[in-house]
Amino acid sequence: GDQNNDTQIFALAILLSSTFVYNTMNKIDQRAIDLLHYVIELSNQLRTVSPPDLDGVEDAADAVNFCPDLVWTLRDFYLSLEADGKHITADDYLENSLKLKEDTDENHKNFNLPRHCIQTFFARKKCFVFDSPTHRKKLAHLPTLHNNELDPDFVQQVADFCSYIFHHSKAKTLSGGIKVNGPRLESLVLTYVNAISSGNLPSMENTVLALAQIKNSAAVQKAIAHYDQQMAQKVQLPTENLQELLDLHRTSEKEAIEVFINNSFKDVDQRFQKELETLLEAKQDDFRKQNLEASSDRCSALLQDIFGPLEEYVKQGVYSKPGGHRLFIQKREELKAKYYQEPRKGIQAEEALQNYLQSKESVSDAILQTDLALTAKEKERKEAYLKAEAAKAEARRLEEIQRQNQQMMEERERQHQEQLRQMEINRAQQLAQEQMARERQLQEEAAKQREREEAEIRRLQNEIQQLQQAKSRNDDCILL
């Protein structure tokens, strides 16, 4: 075989294994990691091929549990299992070798990419280290040596390795827990071998280019997916203005490019980044078109909702009357103000409104002409009405004058009768007063007469009393 053939068998082994043993020399180095990374990518390409039907299992190449457990064996390991001055296990050594660097330096990105791929691909990882099996001089005869002639540490290490493989390896299974039996394994092998034989897979000479193509294409798709996700979350069409949409696009575009940069691999001449930028520009144009359409739809719906009742009133002839055009314009301005107050109409708001008003200009002209015609007739009718009202007012004025004259005459007669009645009353009061004066005079004379009589009586009573007193004194003298 050749190097291509080796790597193809390598990838086939990964796809068909439930436990994959990666056998390298001395230590874990970058070359071994890059090779494993490349073969993983090759395996991912192979598994996209659809094999024949496997006992009713649909799309078995996708369903197969192609991620085996990784057992990394290091022959003739010469390093000390130590880290920071402390003893570590072989498993710790493997994990440390696959640890990522945290900064975003370009060299570190190339360092991290294969390690991240290996960590993601192999869920379970195990490492075994082997000392040299025997003294260097005996290595030439190694196939004929017995275990007791080998290094005891090496023999124990091999025993531990075999025990782990025999006790922890599982049967290869398909999706749903279906185990790979002979016929299924045959179908899988034939499918993958045919895919390899077709010559569609990259050669080892084009490994970097193939990896870059795979990784960068995936990075572009991941960046586009991130952009779509961000825009779907942030953008609510239609936007109030174009700048709002452009700002959201620029923010999502910047994040998408960062996603691409973080996931890209050797993007020579930034070919894939330029491809991404072209796709994002197309996305922007598409959003601008969607924004225009959303704004137009929103404004059309608003105009119909707001101005619909006005159109109905026009059909009913509400404004077909004198002064109707002024009322129509007044109502239209009120509805325009209501339209302007509605939020999120988008960048087509003013154009949609002006187009609508222009389309209804003939309706306004018709209302105006009807208004003018009816206003002229109304003016004639009002003039005739005013003349009739003036004649009626004049008649009412004359009637009022006549009524007032009649009232004046009646008032004068009433006043005359009142004066006569008052004169009679005054004369009667005068006679009554004269009569009362005479009666008072008679009463006074009668009172004076009574007083004279009473005085005379009192005089006579005094005289009688005096006579009685004199008589009493005479009687007393006689008695003595």
Side-chain angles (χ1 to χ4, degrees), residues 178-190:
I178 301 174
K179 295 184 181 301
V180 176
N181 55 19
R184 291 171 184 155
L185 180 62
E186 178 188 12
S187 295
L188 288 175
V189 172
L190 289 175

Side-chain angles (χ1 to χ4, degrees), residues 8-40:
Q8 291 165 355
I9 294 175
F10 197 165
L12 188 61
I14 286 181
L15 289 169
L16 299 176
S17 298
S18 61
T19 300
F20 178 74
V21 180
Y22 187 33
N23 185 18
T24 62
M25 293 291 292
N26 305 134
K27 65 177 182 178
I28 298 176
D29 56 17
Q30 188 65 35
R31 189 193 67 80
I33 290 176
D34 287 340
L35 176 60
L36 182 57
H37 177 212
Y38 167 70
V39 176
I40 289 173

Side-chain angles (χ1 to χ4, degrees), residues 227 230-231 234-235 242-257 276-288:
Y227 174 87
Q230 292 300 307
M231 291 295 283
K234 297 175 181 178
V235 177
L242 179 59
Q243 191 60 46
E244 178 184 345
L245 178 63
L246 294 179
D247 290 343
L248 292 172
H249 164 77
R250 275 195 291 270
T251 301
S252 300
E253 179 186 43
K254 182 178 178 182
E255 293 181 9
I257 292 175
L276 172 62
E277 291 171 354
T278 301
L279 293 174
L280 292 174
E281 184 176 354
K283 291 276 186 181
Q284 176 187 353
D285 292 340
D286 185 57
F287 266 110
R288 292 179 68 173

Side-chain angles (χ1 to χ4, degrees), residues 130-148:
F130 299 91
D131 295 335
S132 179
T134 186
H135 191 273
R136 182 173 59 85
K137 292 181 180 181
K138 295 183 180 181
L139 290 178
H141 307 286
L142 189 60
T144 61
L145 297 179
H146 298 286
N147 281 355
N148 58 3

Side-chain angles (χ1 to χ4, degrees), residues 237-238 287-297 347-348:
L237 299 180
F287 266 110
R288 292 179 68 173
K289 292 178 182 178
Q290 291 182 40
N291 197 34
L292 283 173
E293 293 175 0
S295 178
S296 296
D297 294 343
I347 58 180
Q348 292 291 95

Side-chain angles (χ1 to χ4, degrees), residues 300-318:
S300 297
L302 273 178
L303 290 169
Q304 184 59 41
D305 183 56
I306 293 174
F307 287 88
L310 179 62
E311 295 179 8
E312 188 63 29
Y313 291 155
V314 171
K315 292 179 182 179
Q316 295 174 3
V318 172

